[in-house]
Amino acid sequence: MLFRSIFESVKGLNEMGVNQFLIGHATGVEWSDGSLQTYQDQMQQLRAWYLKNKGDTLKIVAFDKPKSAQGFFGCSAGRSTIAISCNGDITGCSRISTLHDAVTVGKLGHVDYGLFDLKTRADMTGCRKLKKSCSEAGISDQYAGGCFATNYEATGDLFKPNRLQHRFSVLLRDIATVPTIK
């Protein structure tokens, strides 16, 4: 079965018995303003359908509890997750561990020696650098810095916010908090 949109995909999969959805956008690619608008339109249509059809089993996380703009800064990398690469390097998450083949970005340690880069771990868990970067960009009141790996992919720095991720964060929060007409 071929689905041509996010809305059709979720609705069709639900008709086939799938009842829980974690929907995200593609990262590491360019999004035109038109593509962002299409995504927004699809997510608005999906939310309206979800609110009409939500029962005990149907769940779309993005629409249940909108994320606060000020949860904790950053992501869970290094805070509640770590990853070990094939060569034994320890990073904050599996996505960070695969950013480069030759060097380990955001290295926290090595399986043979433990966690030894405490400064990088403190930067990940405390997010002082990320908070400062978001503040300098004028988005710290709307955005908590996002995923370190997507930050790096967009800016070359784990601790500089990805502006596209910021746009998606605001877009989804706005969709999830708009009152619906009953």
Side-chain angles (χ1 to χ4, degrees):
M1 186 171 287
L2 178 64
F3 302 116
R4 299 193 183 276
S5 68
I6 296 169
F7 175 70
E8 286 179 13
S9 297
V10 172
K11 188 176 172 189
L13 289 168
N14 183 250
E15 290 167 0
M16 287 189 247
V18 177
N19 63 1
Q20 296 195 25
F21 299 89
L22 185 62
I23 301 167
H25 60 278
T27 61
V29 297
E30 294 293 320
W31 281 77
S32 67
D33 288 339
S35 296
L36 277 166
Q37 185 62 54
T38 298
Y39 181 83
Q40 180 177 354
D41 294 345
Q42 286 291 301
M43 294 300 281
Q44 287 171 329
Q45 185 179 7
L46 182 58
R47 180 175 182 255
W49 172 85
Y50 175 62
L51 293 176
K52 286 180 187 173
N53 294 282
K54 184 178 172 183
D56 292 337
T57 59
L58 180 60
K59 184 158 188 69
I60 301 177
V61 174
F63 302 138
D64 283 335
K65 286 188 176 178
K67 292 181 182 177
S68 134
Q70 295 299 331
F72 62 79
F73 257 78
C75 62
S76 62
R79 184 175 293 168
S80 61
T81 64
I82 60 167
I84 300 170
S85 66
C86 295
N87 69 1
D89 286 343
I90 301 170
T91 61
C93 77
S94 59
R95 188 142 182 216
I96 291 172
S97 72
T98 61
L99 289 171
H100 281 292
D101 291 335
V103 296
T104 303
V105 175
K107 184 174 179 175
L108 301 175
H110 191 275
V111 293
D112 291 335
Y113 310 107
L115 296 175
F116 54 77
D117 193 333
L118 301 179
K119 182 184 178 326
T120 299
R121 182 155 188 272
D123 287 341
M124 285 182 175
T125 59
C127 292
R128 184 180 50 79
K129 285 178 159 180
L130 186 56
K131 286 178 186 177
K132 182 179 179 195
S133 293
C134 286
S135 181
E136 288 170 352
I139 60 174
S140 60
D141 61 333
Q142 302 174 319
Y143 188 57
C147 167
F148 294 125
T150 59
N151 289 348
Y152 187 87
E153 290 170 338
T155 68
D157 187 329
L158 296 170
F159 308 108
K160 291 213 183 299
N162 178 332
R163 296 305 292 252
L164 181 59
Q165 295 301 106
H166 165 250
R167 287 181 71 184
F168 273 106
S169 174
V170 171
L171 180 148
L172 288 173
R173 194 169 43 252
D174 288 349
I175 289 170
T177 57
V178 170
T180 56
I181 300 169
K182 296 190 182 198

